[in-house]
Amino acid sequence: MLVRLIYASRVHPDLTPSDIDHILARSHANNARDGVTGALCYTGGVFLQCLEGGRRAVNEVYHRIAGDPRHTDPAILSFSQIVAREFGDWAMGYVAHTADNRALFLKYCPLPQFDPYTMSAASVEALLQELMGVARWRTAR
Ligand code: FAD
């Protein structure tokens, strides 16, 4: 059975770009091994991540991530059974905030700043899908 889990969390203030690189490197290796795909968005001090895969694999990786000291306040925004993956091409696609996607945040967020904690699950899913389409990818597949 396939599931999709989307959560938000607050970035630890001491997080550096090399921490992000390390997280992405481990994510690519672990997720490819475990059949997990998804996308990680990092902007305005907030992470928004979508994890897709088998129910057991997604639960396991989420619990590992939730205990990671590099972020705080993890909150599950959406958890659903799915028929097919949206981000099946990406072991973990990554997008940071750029001028190109500022308008997208405004389109889906109640306030001009990106705050996934205040968004509906449907808005979060739609935003992630659009971001993955227009964003400049920092990491290769
Ligand atoms: P290793 O890097 O070998 O880590 C070993 C241990 O050290 C882990 O407990 C790790 O949490 C800890 N650790 C490593 N570096 C640091 C550091 N700089 N500060 C504090 N503790 C550290 N993992 C995935 O597998 N898939 C994902 O999609 C994924 N997404 C993530 C998204 C976010 C926002 C964050 C913060 C982390 C994410 N991680 C992800 C990392 C996850 O939390 C675990 O660190 C990782 O899965 C552990 O795998 P490892 O033993 O191969 O990694």
Side-chain angles (χ1 to χ4, degrees):
M1 176 198 299
L2 280 175
V3 301
R4 178 182 303 129
L5 184 155
I6 302 177
Y7 75 89
S9 62
R10 301 196 191 283
V11 178
H12 191 283
D14 296 337
L15 197 84
T16 65
S18 81
D19 288 324
I20 297 276
D21 289 341
H22 185 77
I23 287 169
L24 289 172
R26 295 316 307 152
S27 299
H28 287 143
N30 294 342
N31 295 353
R33 177 195 66 203
D34 300 335
V36 171
T37 55
L40 176 65
C41 175
Y42 167 46
T43 184
V46 173
F47 285 120
L48 177 66
Q49 187 171 27
C50 170
L51 299 160
E52 296 176 332
R55 182 166 57 191
R56 184 189 181 110
V58 168
N59 267 286
E60 283 177 0
V61 69
Y62 176 71
H63 284 292
R64 241 176 25 239
I65 294 169
D68 193 312
R70 292 170 284 191
H71 62 168
T72 60
D73 302 336
I76 294 175
L77 307 180
S78 165
F79 182 87
S80 51
Q81 293 179 19
I82 54 173
V83 174
R85 299 172 194 251
E86 284 289 341
F87 305 107
D89 288 345
W90 304 94
M92 190 46 60
Y94 174 71
V95 60
H97 199 161
T98 68
D100 292 342
N101 55 40
R102 190 174 302 128
L104 277 181
F105 291 123
L106 197 54
K107 179 174 172 183
Y108 289 107
C109 300
L111 295 172
Q113 65 268 28
F114 177 57
D115 184 1
Y117 290 93
T118 64
M119 295 167 66
S120 71
S123 290
V124 164
E125 291 200 19
L127 171 64
L128 272 170
Q129 281 170 15
E130 282 212 53
L131 275 176
M132 296 306 110
V134 302
R136 180 174 59 81
W137 290 92
R138 204 183 116 172
T139 53
R141 286 175 194 224

